[in-house]
Amino acid sequence: MSIKRAAAIVGVGDVELEKGKVKHGHSVLQIQAIAAKRALEDAGLSKDDVDGIFVAGLWGLPGIGSFPSVVVSEYLGIQPKYTDSTQIGGSAFEAHVGHAAAAIQSGLCEVALILYGSTQRSEKSRTLAGRPPVLTAQYETPYGLPSPAGAYAMAAHRHMHQYGTRPEQLAEIAVATRKWAQLNPHATMRDHLTIEDVLTSPMICDPLHLLDCCLVTDGAGAIVLVSAERAKDCRKKPVWVLGQGESHSHWSIQAMPDLTVTSAAVSGKRAFEMAGVTHDEIDVVQIYDSFTITVLLTLESLGFCKSGEGGDFVSNQRTAPGGDFPLNTNGGGLSYAHPGMYGIFLLIEAVRQLREEAGERQVKNSKISLVAGTGGTLSSTSVVILGRD
Amino acid sequence: MIEKPLPIPDGDSDVFWQGCKEHKLLIQKCEDCSSYIFYPRVLCPNCFSEKVEWVQSSGVGKVYSFTIARRPGGPAFKDEVPYVVALIELEEGVRMLSNIIDVDVDKVDCDMPVEVVFQVEGDFTLPKFKPRAI
Ligand SMILES: [Zn+2]
């Protein structure tokens, strides 16, 4: 069973940030509405065309945020025929793309709107505290693991122990990503950055320094996905969903089977098989960079290199502009923006690259892009492979 | 001072936390497939058998991985930094999250041998680990 070419992304939208914050003190519903309107305008569609809605978020909790697709639909004046609030963390939106394509393929909806927003920076709501110590979290939170950085740090230590990976190799990722951000006028952090800067930035959770960690910003994004039939009448050329996979291996970090391998090994394999493409055919890659180690583990788990070889793979600024492996071309969660659940912005950047709308940071002749989301503490993954005609 | 988050026990964990109070590290073992299980569950996540029995772990294991928290995991841990949070792999094969105490934080490493010690925290006793001389 495959959803290959069943659906295309025809619209994307987001909102500008100022120093990581949304403008005008907008609320989390306002910015989602603005992003949705922009994505629909981009596609040449109206809100009355939308019959499928996909929303996940961390806002309005406890409270109305428990029902995000319902609340957002009400705010936008949309009554869908298909609704999905799948919440698997930052990779939720890559999963939404797969679910939307399957729904479109089976005729359950024709025009799907995927939405995310966060005002965590404006609200100063982000802390390193663990989750309330109930149910499975009662075995973790009492020990004070900074969340989520501590769990990613433990994965980094294990990788270093098993394979001899070095902090400067992780820093290569942060530096290369910053170089992309310097080409993106909308990126939050655009100052020159060196490997030395990363290694001398304050240690947060050994071995991860401050500059190994993603930003904490606001942000909103929207994606419009339609059937092949509807794509013919849209304003923008279609970006096809060629393949998608999703999986999760654990929630509590104690339950992660191997701290050096993520479930991208499973979700990536399915996405590649569905798309019928090889690693060499991918022109531009967007990988969730909550931390530098997330990128390294995902590259290995996806099979771009062997287990343990991620450090060498990213060395010598291979993933920077001009390198032979263009990665996180908007500046990533490390330097562009990271509003809590970043996955939707990976998809938006992949679409802009495939449409050749990426300005100074455009990777020339990009035809196929791979997007790999990760959520929780290396818990969930979803991989989408996109292609243009 | 902000109080540290303490476990909120339930039907799965009552026996575990009571065991800690008595300085016993209790884990589960499946009578059908012999898997050791942690955290405690009503059935075996390997074979779905409900014949899971409590057994006392030796409390001996090694550090699978660790981090040194230089920033606190919430305001309640502010006075503790730097402290070590680690995944302990017990002899029986299960992993649990805990702290390594009575140690120079910069001396901790993966695969370091450790053993359980019990530390009172409010109304609870938490299993923690210290380096084990071998
Ligand atoms: Zn069993």
Side-chain angles (χ1 to χ4, degrees), chain A residues 228-273:
Chain A
E229 194 54 37
R230 294 296 292 260
K232 289 177 192 162
D233 302 324
C234 288
R235 209 160 71 80
K236 293 284 175 74
K237 284 184 181 155
V239 171
W240 298 101
V241 178
L242 301 181
Q244 186 266 350
E246 62 199 53
S247 188
H248 34 76
S249 49
H250 63 282
W251 184 257
S252 319
I253 194 63
Q254 63 120 106
M256 185 167 180
D258 179 340
L259 277 185
T260 66
V261 181
T262 80
S263 65
V266 174
S267 54
K269 186 166 185 283
R270 171 169 283 194
F272 271 109
E273 283 172 1

Side-chain angles (χ1 to χ4, degrees), chain B residues 53-70:
Chain B
E53 55 173 357
W54 289 98
V55 294
Q56 185 172 349
S57 162
S58 68
V60 167
K62 56 187 184 179
V63 173
Y64 174 64
S65 195
F66 72 101
T67 186
I68 306 167
R70 307 280 176 179

Side-chain angles (χ1 to χ4, degrees), chain A residues 166-229:
Chain A
R166 299 187 307 277
E168 53 268 36
Q169 292 175 317
L170 293 179
E172 290 263 6
I173 296 168
V175 170
T177 310
R178 179 62 61 87
K179 289 176 185 165
W180 285 110
Q182 289 178 303
L183 302 177
N184 180 2
H186 297 294
T188 302
M189 300 291 279
R190 303 186 69 204
D191 294 340
H192 181 67
L193 186 70
T194 66
I195 288 172
E196 189 63 16
D197 292 335
V198 179
L199 298 179
T200 55
S201 66
M203 196 66 95
I204 302 295
C205 282
D206 298 47
L208 298 180
H209 306 82
L210 179 67
L211 293 173
D212 285 299
C213 305
C214 64
L215 307 173
V216 175
T217 71
D218 298 340
I223 290 174
V224 179
L225 209 80
V226 301
S227 62
E229 194 54 37

Side-chain angles (χ1 to χ4, degrees), chain A residues 128-130 133-136 138-146 150 153-154 157-158 161 202-206 252-254 256-259, chain B residues 5-10 13 17 38-40 64-74 77 83 85 87 95 97-99 110-111 126-127:
Chain A
L128 292 171
V134 299
L135 301 172
T136 59
Q138 70 183 292
Y139 313 102
E140 290 204 334
T141 308
Y143 304 103
L145 181 69
M154 289 197 286
H157 256 157
R158 189 69 204 176
H161 179 73
M203 196 66 95
I204 302 295
C205 282
D206 298 47
S252 319
I253 194 63
Q254 63 120 106
M256 185 167 180
D258 179 340
L259 277 185
Chain B
L6 287 172
I8 298 177
D10 56 32
S13 68
W17 294 118
F38 187 82
Y39 47 83
Y64 174 64
S65 195
F66 72 101
T67 186
I68 306 167
R70 307 280 176 179
R71 305 272 174 98
F77 295 91
Y83 57 92
V85 188
L87 283 168
R95 278 188 214 141
L97 192 77
S98 185
N99 300 119
C110 293
D111 291 343
L126 300 179

Side-chain angles (χ1 to χ4, degrees), chain B residues 6 25-26 28 33 36 42 45 50-51 66 68 72 74 85-86 88 94-95 102 105-106 117 123 132:
Chain B
L6 287 172
L25 188 62
L26 299 180
Q28 289 173 314
C33 76
Y36 286 97
V42 73
E50 288 178 59
K51 289 190 210 151
F66 72 101
I68 306 167
V85 188
I88 309 302
V94 297
R95 278 188 214 141
D102 300 333
V105 297
D106 294 312
V117 286
D123 290 337
R132 175 168 171 258

